[in-house]
Amino acid sequence: MSLATRNGTGPVDAPVAPPKVVRQRRTRPGLLGLAVLLIALGGLGAAFAVTSVRATGSYLAVARPVEVGRQLSADDLVPVQVAGGQGLAPVPAGRLDEVVGKRAAVSLTPGTLLTMAQLTDDPLLAPGQQQLALGLGPAEVPARELHPGDKVLLVSTPDDDDTGPAATATRFEATVIDTATGQNDTEIVLYLALAVRDVPAVVALSAQERIAVVLTEAA
């Protein structure tokens, strides 16, 4: 390359500027690993969000208090939407027909999710007890409504043919399991749990219509 001087002496060779060297930036392995980790965590977060949305479903919740031993009705339950209910094992709303008619094995509180572990098909009998059905007239029931778990006392009444001194009344402790209305709507059937040793005597007194029911403790 030639350049002219100011005094006209002619062209002279000018020095050629060396090319600039662009230095490449080094990629730090630590930053690269951090970027990969953040991408992986973002993917896991997205997968968790999708899983939670897919876990959302309709389940059965308790709508009103249910005492121990009482049979469930459709009015006792309400469907609710629950997201991510893993580990709770709630009953899906589609199984309503399966749980209606089952008994509450524990007291059910409104607003809680229903689980199959809270229900039973078995009568609530303690060891050494048997279930007995007792038919009573409306005036013989000690309360307007009896509930499962109520404690009652069965008391023998005097025999109409007994003209002698009044005999000592016999008492039997029992627990209400359930109640029902008889076919003629004038009789109330009381299902009771009582000690095995007391069953024969209570059956005999019931056949003679010589038994009275006293409520001693409400559930």
Side-chain angles (χ1 to χ4, degrees), residues 142-200:
R144 180 172 297 180
E145 289 186 5
L146 290 175
H147 303 281
D150 288 347
K151 305 294 183 181
V152 296
L153 195 64
L154 307 180
V155 183
S156 63
T157 58
D159 189 351
D160 293 337
D161 297 333
D162 189 1
T163 57
T168 303
T170 307
R171 297 173 174 82
F172 309 94
E173 295 181 352
T175 303
V176 176
I177 293 179
D178 201 358
T179 60
T181 303
Q183 295 181 354
N184 54 9
D185 294 334
T186 60
E187 183 184 56
I188 297 175
V189 181
L190 197 60
Y191 298 95
L192 303 173
L194 66 160
V196 175
R197 65 177 182 276
D198 297 335
V199 171

Side-chain angles (χ1 to χ4, degrees), residues 3-58:
L3 295 176
T5 62
R6 290 183 180 179
N7 55 11
T9 58
V12 296
D13 292 334
V16 178
K20 293 183 179 181
V21 178
V22 180
R23 299 180 62 184
Q24 295 181 351
R25 295 182 179 179
R26 293 183 177 179
T27 302
R28 297 182 181 179
L31 294 177
L32 180 59
L34 179 60
V36 173
L37 178 60
L38 292 176
I39 294 173
L41 291 177
L44 289 176
F48 177 77
V50 172
T51 302
S52 297
V53 172
R54 290 179 179 176
T56 301
S58 182

